[in-house]
Amino acid sequence: MDTIFALATAQGRAGVAVIRISGSEAFEVAQVLCGALPGGRAPALRHLRSAGGVVLDHALILKFDGPASFTGEDTVEFHLHGSVAVVAAVLQTLGAGTARMAEPGEFTRRALENNKMDLAQVEGLADLIEAETEAQRQQALRGMSGDLSNRIEEWRSKLIRAAALIEATIDFADEDVPVDVTPEVRDLLGQVRRDVAEQLKGFSAAERIRTGFEVAIVGPPNAGKSTLLNALARREAAITSQIAGTTRDVIEVRMDIAGLPVTLLDTAGLRDGQDEIEAQGIERAIARARDADLRIFLQEPGTSLPISPLDGDIILAPKADERSDDAAAVSGKTGQGIAKLVSDLEMQLLQRTAAAGLITHERHRQAMSQSLSNLDAAMDRVESGPALYDIAAEEIRTAVRSLEVVVGRVDVENLLDEIFASFCLGK
């Protein structure tokens, strides 16, 4: 397998830049630039030199003997001064040798191929790199640390035990089996089925943590929706005006609320459109509001809109600074009621993510749903008696294979290129 190299830190000027080399000839490739490598894992300072002996930089060198490395291969890291010119010179020198530039995600792919990570952990790492909020970081770290992988291995062991018990009964069908295995098989299948079903229930919340919530601000024209959006975003994201119908299209602002990724939507005022363009904006507003995870309604008490509130939506009267009644209200202009609104938003979002499970990707859900279906079928066959034990055993084996898809043991080769394409070159 080729020896590969790449810049493992972000492009551009920085305090420190890291170049990683991995492969069977990693040590030889590194020695061309830095001379003798440090012993063991102790870091060492070395001058990096071009093929002509010109000093390129004074760098910190780290050496990792395979398989005790991220990729499972011999690996060397150069910690350079983060100059664009220094990085370019070192990469050019490496490219002139026997190593080649790594492809996106190739270091992580080698870690997968060398059994340093499984596919669920790889996806957790990708999510960690993309994480923008605290909740995303925590969720991705659980995936990368192997929480889901460990749970699947536990389920797999129980199912293999159940299948073995059934197959032993089949093998000795013509003899007197001293112990009835049905109770233990039923218990093992029931345990796994309950755990898988619980994780599937938590998928929607976990997916929302990963991809984010949409919260739509809806109401009639001049209710202060754009002003409220600007107040929540703490910047002038939307144009505000006393002229009705100013907002024609949906304006989106990405925010972090309670550690969760949230996209706030400022929608057109809901009324009968005065022209074709405004009417289209109102139609879009209604569609996006209906599809949103949560809605903030700004409307006068007792009035109605083309879209009705759902359970958990927040309903407030507009322009709290101009009111003399005791209605729950908010004002984006003065900030009155903003703190309470943010608190209510946090409460609603945290409630919706409280039951988040370990499965965070659609392919996880599909594989585990298939496994659950097989487990249901296996339990039915077991309850029908020994005559259907052979079918029950096959259903259990199919359930195990579906779980193995999640961690990448089987039937995932077609997914790998797509997954690793999202990684940066140095990862």
Side-chain angles (χ1 to χ4, degrees):
M1 187 176 290
D2 293 343
T3 296
I4 57 175
F5 68 90
L7 177 66
T9 47
Q11 296 279 352
R13 187 176 62 183
V16 176
V18 177
I19 291 178
R20 178 180 290 163
I21 310 169
S22 180
S24 59
E25 298 180 1
F27 295 165
E28 291 81 357
V29 169
Q31 285 171 343
V32 172
L33 276 83
C34 69
L37 292 172
R41 287 178 176 262
L45 286 172
R46 296 284 189 272
H47 281 102
L48 301 184
R49 300 178 185 274
S50 68
V54 176
V55 175
L56 304 177
D57 194 24
H58 197 207
L60 186 71
I61 312 299
L62 293 173
K63 180 177 71 109
F64 304 91
D65 294 282
S69 67
F70 174 74
T71 61
E73 304 171 331
D74 289 343
T75 302
V76 177
E77 288 184 357
F78 295 156
H79 292 236
L80 317 166
H81 294 98
S83 156
V84 173
V86 167
V87 170
V90 174
L91 290 176
Q92 183 178 7
T93 302
L94 286 171
T98 58
R100 65 168 174 82
M101 181 71 77
E103 298 175 358
E106 191 168 3
F107 288 97
T108 307
R109 185 162 187 162
R110 292 191 178 193
L112 174 69
E113 293 169 346
N114 293 324
N115 297 317
K116 304 298 290 186
M117 307 177 76
D118 60 42
L119 193 55
Q121 290 175 296
V122 166
E123 289 169 318
L125 175 57
D127 291 342
L128 184 63
I129 293 171
E130 296 294 327
E132 297 176 337
T133 70
E134 178 63 14
Q136 288 178 321
R137 182 193 68 79
Q138 292 179 3
Q139 178 171 272
L141 200 57
R142 286 196 298 270
M144 192 187 74
S145 300
D147 286 7
L148 177 58
S149 306
N150 294 336
R151 190 70 64 87
I152 286 176
E153 185 57 37
E154 177 186 333
W155 297 336
R156 181 176 176 273
S157 298
K158 290 180 178 180
L159 293 180
I160 289 174
R161 166 72 177 168
L165 290 171
I166 290 178
E167 289 169 350
T169 302
I170 296 172
D171 291 341
F172 295 98
D174 297 332
E175 303 177 22
D176 291 331
V177 180
V179 178
D180 181 10
V181 302
T182 305
E184 183 177 355
V185 170
R186 185 187 297 119
D187 182 54
L188 290 168
L189 295 179
Q191 290 178 33
V192 176
R193 191 205 176 283
R194 285 191 296 273
D195 287 349
V196 171
E198 181 180 357
Q199 290 300 321
L200 285 169
K201 286 181 181 177
F203 168 70
S204 179
E207 185 185 40
R208 276 290 172 265
I209 292 175
R210 187 174 69 85
T211 61
F213 288 88
E214 283 195 348
V215 176
I217 304 174
V218 297
N222 281 339
K225 299 183 297 300
S226 297
T227 304
L228 178 59
L229 177 79
N230 291 340
L232 291 170
R234 298 183 180 180
R235 63 185 178 88
E236 295 296 316
I239 297 173
T240 60
S241 169
Q242 294 297 320
I243 301 173
T246 298
T247 301
R248 298 295 183 97
D249 207 349
V250 178
I251 298 172
E252 302 183 6
V253 175
R254 189 78 165 179
M255 292 184 62
D256 178 338
I257 298 179
L260 297 167
V262 176
T263 300
L264 283 177
L265 308 177
D266 178 23
T267 61
L270 302 184
R271 66 173 181 176
D272 292 333
Q274 302 300 301
D275 55 56
E276 183 180 352
I277 295 177
E278 185 184 1
Q280 289 183 11
I282 292 170
E283 290 178 3
R284 292 184 182 184
I286 293 173
R288 289 296 297 275
R290 283 176 175 160
D291 291 339
D293 300 290
L294 187 68
R295 285 147 293 276
I296 301 171
F297 283 83
L298 293 183
Q299 61 185 108
E300 291 293 339
T303 61
S304 61
L305 295 170
I307 178 173
S308 300
L310 300 176
D311 185 37
D313 287 347
I314 298 172
I315 306 172
L316 295 169
K319 301 181 180 179
D321 54 312
E322 300 177 6
R323 308 187 70 86
S324 59
D325 57 16
D326 57 357
V330 67
S331 171
K333 182 178 180 180
T334 65
Q336 183 177 341
I338 292 287
K340 176 66 165 57
L341 171 58
V342 172
S343 176
D344 290 345
L345 271 175
E346 291 179 351
M347 182 182 68
Q348 286 293 332
L349 296 174
L350 290 173
Q351 284 179 353
R352 298 179 187 212
T353 57
L358 296 174
I359 60 173
T360 57
H361 290 254
E362 175 62 19
R363 76 169 196 90
H364 301 169
R365 187 197 65 78
Q366 291 179 0
M368 291 179 65
S369 294
Q370 180 59 55
S371 182
L372 185 65
S373 177
N374 293 129
L375 289 174
D376 287 338
M379 294 176 74
D380 288 341
R381 302 300 182 271
V382 169
E383 295 300 332
S384 297
L388 296 180
Y389 274 7
D390 55 340
I391 300 177
E394 181 57 31
E395 291 287 359
I396 294 173
R397 285 192 292 269
T398 304
V400 170
R401 286 193 291 271
S402 294
L403 293 176
E404 289 176 337
V405 167
V406 177
V407 294
R409 291 190 180 182
V410 293
D411 296 335
V412 295
E413 196 63 33
N414 59 325
L415 292 171
L416 295 184
D417 290 340
E418 179 180 349
I419 290 172
F420 288 113
S422 66
F423 280 75
C424 57
L425 285 178
K427 203 66 183 176

